[in-house]
C-alpha cells in the first residue's frame, strides 16, 4: 500500500514557497507503514489538478490532495474532482447552512463567494472542517481513495487526524515501520558506500538509503514489524554498519556532531577552546549551537590576521616566517596557544586557504591543516583537502575538526 | 512556454526533507519569463523516475530533473533517462578520464562505483560538472528538452547557470522581466509592512512580495518590458521604498549584510574585530563568509566563560560582579577590549541569554546587549529582545550587530 500527495496552489510553483504540508503527511502515513511514493505540486488550474489526481491515483491507492478548497475564483479542487470523476456537482443545502452558521456566529453575513464551498460532486462525501469554512472531499475510486483537504496546515492536520487517517488505517492497515539514521562525519559519500557494500549485500532484502551533505553522510535504515522486533533488526544492521565503519558512526537520528562532542565533553568533565583562521568562527558557532554548551566551551579566538595569530595565540613569528600561516606547525601552535590561553583540556585549530583567492601552487585553495591539543598528550595535526567552494571548504573543515576531537575522546583517532 | 521540475530522491518523500532546489530554479526560469507549471518529487526507482519525466514532458516543453546522478546504487536518473528514451547507454571514456582526474588531483584513486557516472545514454549529451563527479544529461525530445542535473545545490546551480539557462533563453525566449530585491536587516516584517503601505498603495497596479527570514526582510519588485524601461520603473519604486524606510535598505539582489559591511570597511580602509558571547562566533563567521574578508577583519574572541571575558577581553571583574555578563556595561567593555586587543578601528560585541536555559525574571531568555566601539568615537550599546528559539535569537543578534556597524559607517545610526 502506497500513498501519493498532490499539493494545489500556484504559489507553490514560485521561488519562495514550498509545500510543507507533505512533510507532516509523510510522517503520519509512515506511522501506518504507508510510504509516500510521489508528490506533486500543481497550479490553480482545474484541468491540471484533475490530471494530477489521475496520475497520482495511477501510482498509489491512497491519494491526499491539499489546497484549492477556499472560496475564491482560483480555488479549483472541487471543479477538478468533478472533472476527474466525470460527475456533476450541486449545492448541498446542509453544508451551505453550516457555512452560513460559521459566519453568523462571528456576526457576519456569509459573502456570496463562499457559496461555492457547499458544492458537492455527486458520489463524493464531504469532510467536515471544524476549523474553517472549506469542507474536504472523500472520493472512492476503483483503485482506492482520494481525500481532498484544505491547504491551511491547522485545518488540514486536524481533518486528516480525525477523518482521514482512521479510515486509512482501517482499510489499508499496514505493519508499522521503525526507522533509524546512522551518521558519519568528515568522510566522502563514495568512501562510505564502498565500505558498507558488504552490509548492503548481506541485508539485500532490506532497503537502505545513503544521504550526503557537506561533511556528513547519513545511512537511513527502516524495518517493518512490531517495534521490539524492528528494533532488534535495526540493532543487528547497526552492528554490521559499525563493523564496516569502525569508530566512524558518530551518532543516530537527532544527534549532531556538535551535540555528541558536547555530551562527551560533559561526561568527561572536560573543557574545550578553539583557534580558528579559515573557518572564521564556524567551529565555535557550531559548538555553541548546542544549548548548555557553556558547561564545557570556554572560548575561542578567530585569528584572521597573522599578527593576531602571534599576539592572541602565541604562534611564534619564526614559525609563520618559516612555514607560513597554512602549515602543520602553525596549526599545532594555534591549538596549543588556545589551550593554554583559555585553560582548556582540549583545543581545536584550523588554518587553511578557503578561497576563492589566496591559493598558490604549493598551497592551492582547499589546503587546510587542523590540529588538536590535549592535556597530557601530544598535539596532533592533520592535513585536509576538501573539495568545493569557500563555504564547502569551511563547513568540511569544521566537521573534520569536531570529528577529530570526537574520535580522540573515543580513543579511536588512529587514521 | 512552460517548465516542469522533477526532483529525484526517496529522502524527499519522507517527513524531513523538501526539494529546495526547485525554489531557485523557479526564480531563474522566471527571469526568462518561463513559469513553472508543475513540480514532482519521486523516489529512487528508475521506472518511477522515467514515468515522471514522461508526465512532465507531456505538460511542459522544458523539463528540469534534479538528483539521482551520484555514484551509488540508488542513483538511478541515468537509468531512467535510458528507459524514457528507449535507448542503450555506454561508458564514455572521456568522461571516465575526467572523473578519474578529479580524484587523482586530490590524491585518491577513483572508487569503482564512480565508474557508472561515466555512462551516457545514446542520443543524449553529457553536461560537464565543474564542481563534482556527477555529469548532467541533456536530452532533446519531440516536445522540447529534458535537462538532468545533480541534486547538490551548488553543483546544480552552477551547471544550470552556465549550461542550461543560456540554451533555454536562446530557444524559448519569452518577454523579459526584470526583478529587484531590496533588503532590510534587523527589522520585523510587520514593522516594514507598516512603513511601506503607502508605497504599495501608490503603485497599486504592480505586484510586490514581502519575504521574511530571521533578521532579514526582503521586498521583491518585478517589472516587464525592455531592460532599460523596466530599470527606470524599478528605480522609481526603489526611491519610494527608500523614502519609506530611510537608511534601512542595506542592499539589493545578491548583497548580503556582511558583504555590504565588508565593502564599506574596505572603502574606508578600516578594520574590524569581534567579541562574542551569546552568538558564539556567528558574527565572525558571517563576516568571514565573504571572500577577501582578511583585508579588513583582524580577528575575534568568543568569550563564553566569564573569566575569558576578563582574561582575553579585559572586561573588569567589578563590572561583571556589579552588572552581570548580560549587561550594557559588559557589552561596552567587551567591544572596547576587542578593539584594543586586535588594534582594529571598529569592534562589535554581543552578550545575551540565548536560552533555552539561563533566563531569570530580570534577564529572561532573549535579553541581549550589543555594542560597537569605534576609533575616536564614544562606544555605543543597544538592548535587543529578539523573539524565538536559541538559533533565532543568535541569528537576529548577529544581524543587529552587523546592521549597527553598517548604519554607523553610513552616518545613519540614530535610532
Amino acid at each position: 500500500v502506497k500513498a501519493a500527495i498532490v499539493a494545489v496552489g500556484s504559489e507553490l510553483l514560485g521561488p519562495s514557497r514550498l509545500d510543507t504540508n507533505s512533510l507532516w503527511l509523510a510522517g503520519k502515513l509512515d506511522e501506518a507503514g504507508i510510504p509516500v511514493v510521489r508528490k506533486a505540486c500543481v497550479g490553480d488550474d482545474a484541468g491540471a489538478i484533475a490530471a494530477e489526481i489521475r496520475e497520482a491515483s495511477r501510482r498509489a491507492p491512497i491519494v491526499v490532495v491539499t489546497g484549492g478548497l477556499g472560496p475564491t475564483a482560483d480555488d479549483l479542487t472541487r471543479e477538478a474532482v468533478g472533472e476527474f470523476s466525470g460527475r456533476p456537482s450541486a449545492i448541498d443545502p446542509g453544508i451551505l447552512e453550516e457555512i452560513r452558521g460559521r459566519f453568523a456566529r462571528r456576526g457576519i453575513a456569509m459573502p456570496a463567494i463562499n457559496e461555492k464551498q457547499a458544492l458537492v460532486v455527486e458520489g463524493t462525501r464531504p469532510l467536515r472542517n471544524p476549523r474553517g469554512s472549506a469542507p474536504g472531499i472523500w472520493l472512492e475510486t476503483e483503485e482506492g481513495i482520494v481525500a481532498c483537504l484544505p491547504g491551511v496546515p491547522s485545518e488540514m492536520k486536524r481533518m486528516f487526524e480525525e477523518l482521514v487517517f482512521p479510515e486509512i488505517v482501517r482499510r489499508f492497515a499496514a505493519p508499522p515501520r521503525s526507522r533509524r539514521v546512522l551518521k558519519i562525519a568528515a568522510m566522502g559519500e563514495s568512501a562510505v558506500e564502498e565500505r558498507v557494500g558488504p552490509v548492503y549485500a548481506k541485508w539485500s532484502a532490506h532497503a537502505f538509503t545513503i544521504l550526503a551533505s557537506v561533511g556528513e553522510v547519513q545511512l537511513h535504515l527502516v524495518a517493518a514489524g512490531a517495534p521490539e522486533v524492528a528494533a532488534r533488526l535495526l540493532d543487528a544492521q547497526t552492528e554490521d554498519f559499525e563493523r564496516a565503519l569502525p569508530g566512524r558512526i558518530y551518532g543516530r537520528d537527532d544527534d549532531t556532531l556538535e551535540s555528541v562532542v558536547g555530551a562527551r565533553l560533559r561526561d568527561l568533565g572536560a573543557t574545550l577552546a578553539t583557534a580558528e583562521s579559515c573557518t572564521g568562527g564556524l567551529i565555535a558557532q557550531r559548538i555553541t549551537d548546542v544549548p548548555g554548551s557553556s558547561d564545557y566551551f570556554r572560548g575561542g579566538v578567530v585569528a584572521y590576521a597573522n599578527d593576531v595569530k602571534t599576539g592572541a595565540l602565541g604562534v611564534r613569528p619564526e614559525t609563520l616566517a618559516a612555514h607560513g600561516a597554512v602549515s602543520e606547525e602553525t596549526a599545532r601552535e594555534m591549538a596549543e596557544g588556545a589551550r593554554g590561553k583559555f585553560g582548556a583540556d582540549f583545543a581545536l585549530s584550523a588554518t587553511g586557504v578557503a578561497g576563492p583567492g589566496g591559493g598558490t601552487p604549493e598551497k592551492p585553495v582547499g589546503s587546510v591543516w587542523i590540529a588538536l591539543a590535549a592535556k597530557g598528550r601530544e598535539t596532533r595535526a592533520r592535513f585536509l583537502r576538501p573539495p568545493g567552494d569557500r563555504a564547502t571548504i569551511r563547513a568540511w573543515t569544521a566537521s573534520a575538526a569536531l570529528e577529530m576531537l570526537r574520535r580522540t575522546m573515543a580513543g579511536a583517532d588512529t587514521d
Side-chain angles (χ1 to χ4, degrees), chain A:
Chain A
V1 179
K2 301 166 188 170
I5 297 173
V6 177
V8 176
S10 295
E11 74 280 9
L12 301 174
L13 298 169
S16 49
R17 277 242 213 152
L18 286 170
D19 156 39
T20 51
N21 281 334
S22 65
L23 294 182
W24 184 86
L25 286 169
K28 284 301 295 181
L29 288 162
D30 187 72
E31 279 177 28
I34 299 168
V36 173
V37 293
R38 176 177 189 272
K39 305 198 295 190
C41 294
V42 60
D44 301 313
D45 172 322
I49 301 167
E52 289 301 339
I53 296 176
R54 202 170 297 125
E55 186 66 17
S57 50
R58 243 181 244 142
R59 304 288 176 82
I62 300 169
V63 176
V64 182
V65 181
T66 58
L69 293 173
T72 71
D74 54 11
D75 288 307
L76 295 165
T77 297
R78 272 175 302 269
E79 287 75 357
V81 168
E83 195 172 322
F84 166 70
S85 67
R87 292 183 189 149
S89 50
I91 294 284
D92 179 307
I95 296 177
L96 189 60
E97 232 12 78
E98 207 165 307
I99 297 172
R100 274 221 182 86
R102 278 190 69 79
F103 283 96
R105 280 193 294 280
R106 293 164 51 205
I108 313 172
M110 186 190 82
I113 55 162
N114 285 78
E115 187 165 321
K116 75 176 222 176
Q117 294 186 299
L119 271 177
V120 173
V121 176
E122 198 180 275
T124 72
R125 182 159 60 79
L127 299 171
R128 230 184 132 258
N129 181 347
R131 295 201 170 183
S133 62
I137 302 170
W138 178 275
L139 169 63
E140 314 252 338
T141 64
E142 271 173 42
E143 299 84 14
I145 63 110
V146 177
C148 304
L149 300 172
V152 179
S154 60
E155 299 177 18
M156 182 280 292
K157 289 178 189 176
R158 179 146 173 202
M159 290 169 71
F160 187 83
E161 290 266 26
E162 294 179 359
L163 304 172
V164 178
F165 192 61
E167 186 64 17
I168 286 178
V169 169
R170 201 181 60 73
R171 289 212 203 183
F172 302 97
R177 299 205 292 173
S178 302
R179 299 181 165 272
R180 185 175 294 171
V181 180
L182 305 179
K183 300 184 174 182
I184 298 113
M187 211 174 149
E189 184 182 9
S190 339
V192 172
E193 180 99 24
E194 228 172 40
R195 299 216 207 163
V196 300
V199 187
Y200 277 36
K202 172 172 171 187
W203 298 94
S204 60
H206 296 256
F208 301 109
T209 309
I210 188 162
L211 271 185
S213 56
V214 176
E216 174 152 319
V217 173
Q218 302 184 345
L219 293 165
H220 289 237
L221 285 53
V222 57
E228 324 77 63
V229 179
R232 271 199 299 277
L233 178 67
L234 293 178
D235 285 344
Q237 295 177 340
T238 300
E239 221 171 273
D240 285 341
F241 280 117
E242 275 167 350
R243 244 193 301 272
L245 295 159
R248 295 307 304 254
I249 295 173
Y250 77 76
R252 293 182 186 184
D253 301 330
D254 294 335
D255 288 338
T256 62
L257 184 54
E258 46 272 22
S259 74
V260 168
V261 163
R264 184 74 183 134
L265 285 165
R266 182 178 282 117
D267 285 351
L268 294 174
T271 56
L272 175 66
T274 54
E276 306 184 58
S277 182
C278 63
T279 44
L282 182 55
I283 302 175
Q285 183 239 301
R286 283 184 57 180
I287 293 163
T288 59
D289 270 346
V290 181
S293 45
S294 53
D295 292 351
Y296 45 82
F297 186 60
R298 295 206 29 89
V301 168
V302 180
Y304 233 55
N306 271 350
D307 61 314
V308 173
K309 293 187 182 75
T310 56
L313 286 170
V315 174
R316 291 176 308 152
E318 310 87 80
T319 304
L320 286 173
H323 306 284
V326 178
S327 65
E328 175 169 4
E329 292 76 8
T330 300
R332 285 174 184 276
E333 293 187 19
M334 285 171 67
E336 287 164 4
R339 203 179 82 74
K341 178 191 182 74
F342 292 112
D345 299 303
F346 294 101
L348 284 171
S349 73
T351 179
V353 189
T360 63
E362 299 77 44
K363 293 175 185 173
V365 169
S367 306
V368 176
W369 279 96
I370 58 174
L372 172 62
K375 196 171 157 184
R377 299 190 220 187
E378 230 176 287
T379 298
R380 286 175 28 260
R382 179 172 299 160
F383 181 69
L384 310 174
R385 188 77 176 71
D389 61 6
R390 181 178 179 87
T392 308
I393 291 168
R394 281 158 56 98
W396 183 281
T397 300
S399 292
L402 290 167
E403 174 68 357
M404 189 179 186
L405 172 58
R406 187 192 70 81
R407 282 166 62 76
T408 297
M409 290 191 292
D413 199 27
T414 48
D415 61 338

